């Protein structure tokens, strides 16, 4: 069976990345992770990659004249590693490179901790949900396009947050579902489900 060769972009903790590492190892997700690309030299995701013997590429935006050039470097790396499909898993930058969208049309996905379009573009969607006193929030996996958090939805799941007593509790409750959804959706792509 064909294993989807994915590249993961992550900026921080990398727990969704870890879910993919685990899923690819235990056969839950039919993918091989070709590379982790990060903009943050201190990302915890780097340690996770190293433990799993996944190559790491740090694209330090400070070393580039502008963001477009940094994005071009990311495109080059994805090509170099033979990546077929790109997963943004807590990647905190906006992709702007024209090349990347041409190269991976309908092949870049992102996970967002709200039911989009609610809290579109927010960096704190879980806190937004808590502060708004919502009883329900959730997660969305969508295609990445030039419109931030605006690409076509692929998967949404509602999460009951009525029992949560803090924004952190909301985040933790959604995160557990994010990991399961991430594995399910990437495996779906590997099996041609969404194409
Ligand atoms: C997740 O909540 C994800 O939805 C959002 O950023 C967070 C990343 O967490 N885009 P992690 O780095 O995967 O642990």
């Amino acid at each position: 069976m064909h294993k989807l060769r994915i590249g993961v972009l992550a900026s921080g903790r990398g727990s969704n990345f870890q879910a993919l590492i685990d899923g690819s190892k235990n056969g839950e997700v039919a993918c091989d992770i070709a590379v982790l690309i990060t903009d943050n030299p201190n990302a915890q995701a780097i340690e996770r990659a190293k433990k799993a013997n996944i190559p790491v590429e740090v694209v330090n935006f400070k070393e580039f004249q502008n963001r477009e050039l940094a994005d071009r470097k990311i495109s080059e790396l994805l090509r170099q590693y033979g990546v077929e499909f790109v997963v943004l898993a807590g990647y905190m930058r906006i992709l702007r490179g024209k090349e990347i969208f041409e190269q991976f049309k309908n092949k870049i996905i992102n996970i967002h901790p709200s039911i989009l379009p609610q809290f579109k573009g927010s960096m704190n969607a879980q806190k937004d949900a808590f502060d708004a006193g919502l009883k329900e929030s959730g997660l969305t996996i969508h295609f990445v396009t030039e419109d931030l958090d605006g690409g076509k939805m692929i998967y949404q799941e509602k999460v009951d947050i009525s029992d949560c007593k803090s924004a952190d509790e909301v985040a933790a409750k959604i995160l557990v579902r994010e990991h399961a959804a991430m594995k399910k959706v990437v495996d779906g792509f590997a099996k041609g489900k969404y194409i």
Side-chain angles (χ1 to χ4, degrees):
M1 200 233 306
H2 173 71
K3 283 198 178 176
L4 192 63
R5 206 169 154 76
I6 68 170
V8 177
L9 270 61
S11 301
R13 182 178 55 187
S15 70
N16 279 286
F17 172 49
Q18 186 68 52
L20 288 173
I21 294 173
D22 298 342
S24 68
K25 284 206 175 130
N26 69 20
E28 233 183 309
V29 188
C31 76
D32 278 328
I33 306 175
V35 61
L36 167 75
I37 299 177
T38 183
D39 58 316
N40 174 9
N42 301 314
Q44 198 190 331
I46 295 175
E47 298 313 313
R48 299 181 190 271
K50 285 188 178 158
K51 258 194 204 151
N53 284 318
I54 294 167
V56 177
E57 296 285 351
V58 178
V59 175
N60 194 337
F61 277 54
K62 286 188 199 134
E63 291 165 9
F64 292 82
Q65 250 175 358
N66 57 50
R67 292 191 291 188
E68 283 72 19
L69 287 175
D71 270 7
R72 192 171 297 163
K73 176 69 185 173
I74 293 175
S75 286
E76 272 168 29
L77 287 168
L78 292 168
R79 192 172 303 126
Q80 204 174 302
Y81 281 92
V83 167
E84 299 172 290
F85 191 84
V86 181
V87 178
L88 307 193
Y91 183 61
M92 301 312 277
R93 287 182 186 270
I94 299 171
L95 287 183
R96 292 182 195 273
K98 195 160 66 67
E99 288 90 355
I100 207 162
F101 291 112
E102 283 167 6
Q103 200 180 338
F104 296 101
K105 196 171 180 338
N106 284 340
K107 287 185 177 156
I108 311 177
I109 64 169
N110 179 46
I111 187 158
H112 187 81
S114 78
I115 297 288
L116 287 172
Q118 198 165 38
F119 310 130
K120 183 179 174 205
S122 170
M123 306 278 269
N124 285 302
Q126 305 97 325
K127 185 173 183 302
D128 295 342
F130 182 74
D131 291 348
L134 299 187
K135 300 213 170 333
E136 208 172 58
S137 186
L139 64 103
T140 303
I141 296 179
H142 62 92
F143 285 111
V144 176
T145 62
E146 272 135 300
D147 175 18
L148 178 62
D149 292 337
K152 197 176 139 222
M153 315 288 175
I154 300 159
Y155 179 89
Q156 284 194 312
E157 188 175 319
K158 289 187 176 156
V159 177
D160 175 2
I161 56 164
S162 58
D163 59 337
C164 293
K165 289 178 185 58
S166 66
D168 284 349
E169 271 187 38
V170 172
K173 205 165 176 194
I174 295 175
L175 192 63
V176 175
R177 300 311 308 155
E178 285 188 43
H179 297 160
M182 180 62 101
K183 289 191 279 187
K184 179 171 159 171
V185 168
V186 174
D187 187 59
F189 273 102
K191 293 176 176 151
K193 198 170 152 189
Y194 302 103
I195 296 165

